[in-house]
Amino acid sequence: MTVPDTLPPARTTVRAQRRGRTAEPVAYDFRRPLTLPRDHARHLEMAFERFARQFGNQLTARLRAMTSLTLEKLNLRTYDEYINLTPTPTAMVMCTVTYTRQTAILQLPVPATLVWIDYLFGGNGRGDDREGRELTDIELSLVKDLLGHSLSDLEYAFAGLAPLALTVGGVQYNPQFVQAAGAGDAVLVASFTLRVGDHVDALTLMLPADVLLAQLRAADGPVARSADERVAAAKTAAEIERAMQDVPVEVAVRFAPVVVHPRDVIDLAVGDLLPLSHPSTDLLDVVVDGVVLARAAAGSHGSRLACRVVTVEENKA
């Protein structure tokens, strides 16, 4: 059997594409991790699936039409990401989380709510597909009543995780005008597929993540480990600490900054003197990554310039 000297064209193309990727690294904020641990994700998915079943049952009973709600995916995002991924226009049903007074959002297309109203009045679910259509006061009252009953099952669905109850408020139609949370706040976004009769729509439920995740972390409790696992964990921690001690960092010793005008900078030439406002008796700043860590006095060490650390600044961050 002979071995070809070159890879098949398709495989070569794939490798070339992989080598050509030059994605820039993204800074990761360890204070706000946007990943869900597998166990937490599974508990939350089970709760949202229970809610979806009850939601479908509630609408089936009220509309007298076969209704089902299916959980498609669950994501942990920032609020800004959620808003940017939400279609416009759409119905943003503002809800208040009873126990924390935070804001949750149920997002769904306006035509979907008009199908509900058609069924409520004995119609065949034809609805109204006119673009840009908003709910009238009467229609809004009917939709809020339907959602009030359907969302009441959230408390039952999340009973084993955290107390969660929503009160339905008003409706906004432009997501960009809704300020339900800070742009960088973490939110849980559950995406569903809603089937009412022959109509299929997508809707999302956004909940503040901090309370739910805090309850899940508290429920984890201490993790039981064997003696070998504890030894391995201690060894890993020691290796990480040792590696961190060997990471090179740049240290700068600087004078107090001086303020000049743009014309002074533009006109600088070889031989010009730039007077510093730093008194000769004052200490210098010892800086790492823009943070002042210590104060030092200027001096020499043999034939080289040096500085002697006099005080160490306490970094309270």
Side-chain angles (χ1 to χ4, degrees):
M1 182 180 66
T2 60
V3 180
D5 295 333
T6 59
L7 294 172
R11 187 177 301 176
T12 304
T13 303
V14 170
R15 288 194 176 182
Q17 290 175 349
R18 289 177 180 174
R19 287 196 300 269
R21 294 177 181 173
T22 57
E24 292 295 328
V26 178
Y28 185 82
D29 189 349
F30 287 91
R31 295 169 297 181
R32 291 185 175 181
L34 291 180
T35 55
L36 282 172
R38 184 175 300 176
D39 291 343
H40 293 178
R42 185 53 189 155
H43 288 313
L44 289 169
E45 286 172 357
M46 292 173 62
F48 279 112
E49 286 169 355
R50 285 194 296 269
F51 162 71
R53 287 193 295 270
Q54 293 300 114
F55 189 97
N57 293 338
Q58 286 275 9
L59 281 186
T60 297
R62 299 293 297 277
L63 303 181
R64 299 179 300 280
M66 286 302 301
T67 304
S68 66
L69 186 67
T70 306
L71 176 67
E72 298 296 340
K73 58 183 177 180
L74 178 65
N75 292 315
L76 184 61
R77 302 184 181 277
T78 63
Y79 179 72
D80 190 53
E81 290 173 342
Y82 167 67
I83 289 298
N84 290 334
L85 292 173
T86 302
T88 303
T90 188
M92 305 282 285
V93 183
M94 313 300 294
C95 304
T96 301
V97 183
T98 304
Y99 302 103
T100 64
R101 311 309 300 171
Q102 294 172 294
T103 301
I105 297 176
L106 178 66
Q107 174 270 322
L108 69 164
V110 174
T113 63
L114 298 175
V115 169
W116 301 355
I117 293 170
D118 196 22
Y119 276 121
L120 277 176
F121 286 101
N124 59 2
R126 182 179 59 182
D128 190 342
D129 293 331
R130 284 179 293 174
E131 187 175 355
R133 168 84 148 80
E134 296 185 1
L135 298 174
T136 65
D137 291 342
I138 294 177
E139 292 168 343
L140 179 58
S141 178
L142 292 170
V143 170
K144 289 173 64 175
D145 181 66
L146 275 174
L147 292 177
H149 286 85
S150 300
L151 292 176
S152 63
D153 289 314
L154 268 174
E155 192 163 13
Y156 158 76
F158 283 81
L161 299 180
L164 181 63
L166 301 184
T167 302
V168 179
V171 176
Q172 297 288 338
Y173 299 98
N174 190 333
Q176 301 301 324
F177 294 155
V178 178
Q179 296 294 328
D185 290 350
V187 296
L188 282 169
V189 182
S191 302
F192 300 91
T193 297
L194 175 66
R195 291 177 173 83
V196 181
D198 296 329
H199 294 267
V200 179
D201 295 288
L203 62 87
T204 61
L205 177 61
M206 185 280 289
L207 297 172
D210 52 356
V211 176
L212 288 174
L213 296 184
Q215 294 283 346
L216 287 170
R217 295 188 191 104
D220 286 343
V223 179
R225 291 179 176 177
S226 65
D228 291 341
E229 289 174 335
R230 288 194 295 270
V231 170
K235 182 179 179 181
T236 301
E239 291 175 351
I240 292 175
E241 183 176 359
R242 185 167 55 253
M244 291 297 295
Q245 299 294 332
D246 294 333
V247 175
V249 295
E250 293 186 358
V251 179
V253 180
R254 70 185 183 189
F255 295 94
V258 59
V259 177
V260 298
H261 296 95
R263 61 176 176 271
D264 299 326
V265 177
I266 295 174
D267 294 337
L268 280 177
V270 176
D272 289 348
L273 293 178
L274 186 63
L276 301 177
S277 59
H278 193 107
S280 59
T281 56
D282 283 5
L283 300 176
L284 307 176
D285 293 337
V286 180
V287 183
V288 175
D289 196 21
V291 179
V292 177
L293 297 183
R295 309 283 180 180
S300 62
H301 182 72
S303 60
R304 298 188 180 188
L305 293 174
C307 65
R308 181 182 296 275
V309 174
V310 177
T311 62
V312 176
E313 300 295 319
E314 181 179 356
N315 185 8
K316 298 181 179 180

